[in-house]
Amino acid sequence: EILTLAFARSVFVEFISTLIFVFIGLGSALKWPSALPSILQISLAFGLAIGTLVQAFGHISGAHINPAVTIAFFVGNQISCMRKKSQALGAVLGNHLTPPPSHRQLNNNTTPGQALVVEIILTFQLAACIFASTDNRRNGNVGSPALSIGLSVAVGHLVGIYFTGCSMNPARSFGPAVIVRRFSPAHWVFWVGPILGACLAALLYFYILVPYCMNMSDRVAIIKGTYESEEEWEDQREERKKSMELTPP
């Protein structure tokens, strides 16, 4: 799978998307002399940025823009082990375009334990929203997944900024730390919390609430990147049939 053009496009799109997301989000939080940013402004910037990027690139790469979400999709047996994205590098470059970057730290005397719980809860609700809104098994009109995901990010920021600055995304926290070459003692919270919260949401959604009825061979094929759904197999069969009909004897 890693040698396919689709994989290359997916990685490139994730890289560009994460770069744009970090640039817009951190740009909205800069403390300009003329006016300080508000919590609502920052929350809407992050949320609208995610919604826009999901709408633009979701059909190409899934628009995860978040290593925690990618890991959770893997835990939920939805993607192969080779489809690891390049969000971290995109976050670093996004910070280069947004001077001066600031490293991640806790707010309002929040302890690392409290921060961990906050990040788990906030990322859990985000990941659950992503899984539910993009599930093609849902019947009827479910609205806009991009809008739902964007609002989920905005809601997380409206609450989380007061505690942790609201990460919900290891790449977003990793980028500023690399640029300023300063990792706070609680930096681990912004990796463990989002990854744990997203994985818990994946386990709950894909294995308990709305499980897939698959045998073990199909699950292994998904991990290897060789799985083809019945719809894909039928489409390929029809294409082969048409090509045979058009080929002269």
Side-chain angles (χ1 to χ4, degrees):
E1 183 182 15
I2 196 173
L3 299 178
T4 63
L5 181 59
F7 179 81
R9 287 173 177 167
S10 177
V11 172
F12 177 72
V13 164
E14 287 294 322
F15 169 76
I16 293 295
S17 299
T18 308
L19 189 153
I20 295 173
F21 170 66
V22 173
F23 174 75
I24 293 176
L26 295 187
S28 70
L30 291 179
K31 298 180 180 179
W32 297 101
S34 58
L36 296 177
S38 65
I39 299 297
L40 179 60
Q41 172 188 330
I42 298 172
S43 301
L44 288 178
F46 275 103
L48 293 175
I50 283 291
T52 301
L53 294 169
V54 169
Q55 183 69 29
F57 302 121
H59 63 292
I60 300 175
S61 68
H64 296 177
I65 320 177
N66 188 335
V69 172
T70 301
I71 293 173
F73 269 111
F74 176 73
V75 171
N77 200 220
Q78 301 300 302
I79 59 175
S80 71
C81 61
M82 296 304 298
R83 295 185 69 84
K84 297 297 183 283
K85 312 296 182 176
S86 55
Q87 296 105 330
L89 182 57
V92 172
L93 291 183
N95 277 275
H96 269 302
L97 300 176
T98 314
S102 59
H103 68 285
R104 179 71 59 191
Q105 58 186 356
L106 306 184
N107 301 326
N108 299 320
N109 297 320
T110 302
T111 66
Q114 293 171 334
L116 179 64
V117 173
V118 169
E119 287 294 330
I120 289 175
I121 295 174
L122 295 182
T123 313
F124 180 93
Q125 63 87 23
L126 170 61
C129 177
I130 293 173
F131 301 149
S133 61
T134 59
D135 193 341
N136 55 17
R137 295 172 296 173
R138 297 186 63 170
N139 297 323
N141 185 9
V142 297
S144 169
L147 179 59
S148 300
I149 296 170
L151 290 176
S152 178
V153 171
V155 166
H157 280 77
L158 287 172
V159 176
I161 287 178
Y162 293 103
F163 293 96
T164 64
C166 189
S167 175
M168 299 192 297
N169 188 335
R172 177 194 164 191
S173 300
F174 178 72
V178 170
I179 297 302
V180 301
R181 298 179 182 177
R182 182 179 177 184
F183 290 82
S184 68
H187 183 78
W188 62 272
V189 169
F190 306 109
W191 284 85
V192 177
I195 292 175
L196 186 56
C199 288
L200 289 174
L203 292 174
L204 177 66
Y205 188 84
F206 292 116
Y207 294 102
I208 299 177
L209 298 181
V210 195
Y212 280 89
C213 297
M214 287 185 177
N215 55 43
M216 185 57 64
S217 61
D218 286 340
R219 293 188 180 277
V220 173
I222 291 176
I223 295 176
K224 292 181 178 180
T226 59
Y227 175 75
E228 290 184 359
S229 64
E230 294 182 2
E231 291 80 5
E232 293 174 340
W233 189 84
E234 287 292 340
D235 291 340
Q236 292 181 5
R237 189 179 69 170
E238 289 297 327
E239 291 179 1
R240 289 193 295 267
K241 183 178 178 182
K242 291 179 180 179
S243 63
M244 292 177 62
E245 292 175 350
L246 295 176
T247 303

